Amino acid sequence: MSLTEPSVLAERNREIIAHIESHPNIQRVPTRNIDIYQCRDFLNDEECRLLIEKIDRDARPSTLLSSTDDTEFRTSSSTDFDRQEPAIDAIEEKIVRFMGIPKENGETIQGQRYEVGQQFKPHNDWFYDNQDYWKTEKEQGGQRIWTAMVFLNDTQVGGATRFKRLGKMFHAEKGKLLCWNNLTHEGVPNEWSLHQGMKVRKGVKYIITKWFRELPWVHGGLPSGY
């Protein structure tokens, strides 16, 4: 469910797609079921190093918006980035410009660290309106419409981002941005966006994620959950 008319979301989505596809290094992933793109070398080595240092410095156990009895569902560590740090602000601006979505609609960047054996089982980034958390989230920006994720290193074994229903798997490449539309062309949550962070087999996986809402995101929300 969303707070905006599906037709309005659909029109806005066409504008976002046109903006993303205007970038010279963009690659659209071949599928009719979801809008998903990748852009290699989006961040440079220094930007990736800075973000990894921040994640290691402030990491805490990752959380979920809704409860589950599965203690292995999300086992990573997370960091919510401070928008007041100039270097982080510059990276955030870079992502916002790339996506073409108003900055005020973006949640705080979140960093994630996956060590050996850690994972994030299949999940959607969009919100379920039958869950208790929706009462809060609908007042703090509403539905998540797009996700932007960047791989910060490529030295681990395993840990791919897998879209099971699509039969697509994205392996880590340092600096590569992966972004996707969480909604259909009709403006409703897209079940094809189901994805997972597979178990790391060797090394450590680092990524950052930035979610964008249909409306301006209100600070005080829960960016630490999926």
Side-chain angles (χ1 to χ4, degrees):
M1 178 181 179
S2 62
L3 306 177
T4 309
E5 286 292 331
S7 60
V8 175
L9 284 175
E11 175 60 30
R12 187 186 305 169
N13 184 60
R14 286 191 286 271
E15 295 173 356
I16 294 169
I17 288 173
H19 178 84
I20 291 173
E21 292 186 348
S22 70
H23 297 297
N25 297 323
I26 197 69
Q27 293 178 308
R28 183 182 176 96
V29 177
T31 173
R32 296 180 179 179
N33 299 309
I34 184 175
D35 304 306
I36 185 167
Y37 300 88
Q38 55 184 348
C39 180
R40 291 179 168 84
D41 300 318
F42 178 75
L43 294 183
N44 60 39
D45 288 351
E46 178 60 21
E47 290 168 326
C48 290
R49 183 194 63 78
L50 174 71
L51 295 168
I52 287 174
E53 287 183 353
K54 170 72 172 176
I55 293 171
D56 281 339
R57 185 167 65 246
D58 298 333
R60 52 170 172 71
S62 299
T63 58
L64 297 168
L65 286 177
S66 55
S67 60
T68 175
D69 293 331
D70 185 354
T71 58
E72 295 297 308
F73 192 86
R74 190 186 192 196
T75 53
S76 60
S77 298
S78 297
T79 302
D80 294 321
F81 283 80
D82 183 0
R83 292 187 174 189
Q84 302 308 309
E85 294 186 27
I88 302 301
D89 282 346
I91 293 172
E92 183 170 35
E93 289 285 353
K94 191 174 183 178
I95 296 173
V96 169
R97 288 196 304 271
F98 179 90
M99 297 298 296
I101 302 173
K103 182 177 181 179
E104 57 267 24
N105 290 42
E107 296 181 30
T108 299
I109 291 175
Q110 183 183 106
Q112 290 107 26
R113 180 181 69 197
Y114 293 82
E115 300 184 45
V116 172
Q118 293 186 332
Q119 64 181 327
F120 196 170
K121 291 186 177 181
H123 61 282
N124 291 300
D125 287 352
W126 46 264
F127 298 128
Y128 293 79
D129 62 2
N130 61 353
Q131 295 292 315
D132 288 341
Y133 64 71
W134 177 243
K135 298 174 184 177
T136 299
E137 296 305 326
K138 71 179 182 180
E139 301 296 330
Q140 296 178 331
Q143 192 58 270
R144 283 174 172 165
I145 56 174
W146 279 80
T147 297
M149 187 180 78
V150 185
F151 297 97
L152 303 181
N153 69 324
D154 51 13
T155 57
Q156 73 274 11
V157 177
T161 299
R162 181 190 186 197
F163 288 74
K164 184 177 181 179
R165 290 177 178 168
L166 294 175
K168 304 287 185 182
M169 191 177 301
F170 300 91
H171 296 280
E173 296 178 42
K174 184 194 287 188
K176 182 175 75 175
L177 179 143
L178 182 69
C179 65
W180 63 89
N181 182 8
N182 292 300
L183 307 182
T184 67
H185 287 178
E186 291 72 40
V188 297
N190 191 344
E191 296 286 353
W192 288 94
S193 67
L194 187 77
H195 60 285
Q196 69 186 104
M198 300 182 72
K199 282 186 178 181
V200 173
R201 302 298 180 185
K202 182 179 180 181
V204 182
K205 170 188 174 182
Y206 292 91
I207 62 173
I208 57 169
T209 305
K210 186 170 178 65
W211 297 288
F212 292 87
R213 303 287 190 104
E214 60 178 307
L215 300 172
W217 178 61
V218 179
H219 291 228
L222 298 173
S224 58
Y226 76 90

